[in-house]
Amino acid sequence: MKRKLPLYGKILIGMALGMIWGLSAESMGLLEFTNNWIKPWGTIFINGLKLIAIPLIIFSLIDGISNLSDVSKLSRIGGRTIGLYLATTVIAVTIGLLLVNIIKPGKFLTEEKREELGRAYASDMDSKITSARELKDDGPLQVLVDIVPENLFGAVSNNTNMLQVIFFAMLFGIAMILAKPDKVRPVKSFFDGANEVILKIVDLIMNFAPVGVFALLASLNIDLDLMKALGVYSLSVVLGLAIMVFITYPLILKTFTKLPYLRFVKGILPAQVLAFSTSSSAATLPVTIDCAEKNLGISEEVSSFVLPLGATINMDGTSIHQGVSAVFIAQAFGLDLTLGQQLTILMTAVLSSIGAAAVPGAGIIMLIIVLEAVGLDPSGLALILAVDRPLDMLRTVVNVTGDSTVASVIAGTEGELQVPPADAETA
Ligand code: ASP
């Protein structure tokens, strides 16, 4: 019997063809055609994913929490999740700092290239510095204030308010556990059913993924020459990301779960490919949740809480990038950072990766805060902007993989990880 190509196979083909198209479009004179006729399909695909992200968080989180037997389970899961997210982020920055101090990529950048990059990206950088300043002017408790929305419809009307939506959905779910069971029953079946419908919509959108991914990658404009000048720096970041994916996560999964790493990777591959093509953990979230539940067998209770939270606050890839980039910029300017300054980078990189939005290029804006914390000139950012997009694509893959690793561990420790048989993948 002929076997049908699974969806993730089609997505991988779309990705490969998109990259080939993207790299040859300019030389074949197809840039305008690509912009007019191919790029919009990528935008439509991302819009579809973004469209479903907020309803998905609301319905699956309310449904998931209201399934919990009691509120104490939620605080146990919450405490462990935040602890693990913090631990993996600290490990990530430490790996980044170790690599950049050993490899010293800043010493490989010639004076000429440094000036060329500085000139080419001066205006881009100014707008990023302004965005970072706006963020920094807030008081220390502003993070908490920002979590509590003053208006529900205001919160759900903007995809960057994900923490506010999580807050409301948790409040609603907890209240459902505490309220009189017979009164709550119809509300519960409504959320159960609505959640099923939303997950179906995710499946429908995902059928379009091979085309969407092709279009996104075909319309990326990457300057290969500038990338070469920043080769050693990019390789240091990529090495750090690879250590996370090939050593740290497998070790964590092996220690805390019975999930074989290859099964894990095969299960979340569609989410990884999407993270790579969209550079956004938030846009990828619906698919991450879908893969976690269907392919890894993580319970809805765990995935609906741990994954949206992770997409917002856990960014291991971003934090590796921040550690390497901050020290690289110092090295390129010929400055030697003290141990104290490197520790400051560690702390601020952890905090700024938590604060970074799950959208393309968010990490680089937060990097300005890290640079300023150790007294480095934020204009150094111009040195690395040329390669930010490809590195963003890769770090987003790590961000999503990190969230899925923690979700698997939490589900494993709660006895809620039921890995389906190997040939049962659906997403
Ligand atoms: N693009 C990343 C994400 O969505 C954030 C970043 O810029 O590092 O996870």
Side-chain angles (χ1 to χ4, degrees), residues 78-319:
R80 281 188 195 158
T81 304
I82 291 174
L84 267 175
Y85 278 157
L86 263 181
T88 50
T89 307
V90 171
I91 294 174
V93 192
T94 311
I95 291 175
L97 286 177
L98 285 175
L99 284 176
V100 69
N101 281 295
I102 296 170
I103 302 175
K104 299 199 181 0
K107 308 272 187 255
F108 290 82
L109 192 69
T110 61
E111 180 79 31
E112 271 170 12
K113 271 287 165 213
R114 213 182 69 195
E115 279 167 12
E116 190 186 322
L117 288 163
R119 271 193 310 271
Y121 288 92
S123 60
D124 257 14
M125 188 197 62
D126 285 346
S127 69
K128 297 213 171 354
I129 294 179
T130 320
S131 320
R133 291 259 154 76
E134 279 164 13
L135 284 172
K136 229 181 83 180
D137 284 343
D138 296 335
L141 286 185
Q142 191 61 35
V143 229
L144 291 183
V145 174
D146 286 343
I147 293 178
V148 187
E150 57 175 19
N151 181 300
L152 175 61
F153 295 99
V156 294
S157 70
N158 187 336
N159 278 18
T160 55
N161 291 337
M162 214 125 74
L163 278 181
Q164 297 191 342
V165 178
I166 294 178
F167 175 81
F168 177 78
M170 285 180 63
L171 201 61
F172 199 96
I174 292 171
M176 272 172 74
I177 302 178
L178 301 175
K180 282 201 194 101
D182 50 329
K183 293 260 189 234
V184 170
R185 213 158 288 132
V187 183
K188 171 107 195 64
S189 26
F190 166 73
F191 279 103
D192 245 359
N195 188 37
E196 221 25 62
V197 175
I198 300 281
L199 287 174
K200 233 331 131 236
I201 300 181
V202 176
D203 282 352
L204 293 177
I205 296 176
M206 277 306 280
N207 285 328
F208 186 61
V211 176
V213 165
F214 168 81
L216 286 168
L217 294 177
S219 48
L220 267 188
N221 245 335
I222 288 173
D223 188 334
L224 285 180
D225 275 349
L226 280 177
M227 272 186 83
K228 276 190 213 130
L230 291 167
V232 184
Y233 155 74
S234 307
L235 278 180
S236 313
V237 176
V238 173
L239 188 62
L241 298 175
I243 292 178
M244 225 42 209
V245 171
F246 295 111
I247 300 178
T248 315
Y249 297 143
L251 278 178
I252 295 179
L253 280 177
K254 199 169 166 41
T255 315
F256 297 103
T257 71
K258 293 200 185 73
L259 182 62
Y261 193 61
L262 273 181
R263 270 316 300 284
F264 169 80
V265 171
K266 203 172 159 214
I268 61 158
L269 198 64
Q272 288 179 322
V273 175
L274 274 194
F276 182 77
S277 348
T278 62
S279 283
S280 167
S281 324
T284 310
L285 181 64
V287 182
T288 319
I289 294 183
D290 204 43
C291 292
E293 291 178 9
K294 287 199 194 133
N295 302 347
L296 303 181
I298 295 176
S299 71
E300 188 199 26
E301 281 166 39
V302 171
S303 74
S304 66
F305 170 70
V306 178
L307 291 171
L309 192 67
T312 334
I313 66 164
N314 183 49
M315 298 197 183
D316 300 340
T318 303
S319 48

Side-chain angles (χ1 to χ4, degrees), residues 279-282 315 318 357-364 392 395-396 399:
S279 283
S280 167
S281 324
M315 298 197 183
T318 303
V359 295
I364 200 118
D392 192 5
R395 65 184 188 245
T396 309
N399 291 346

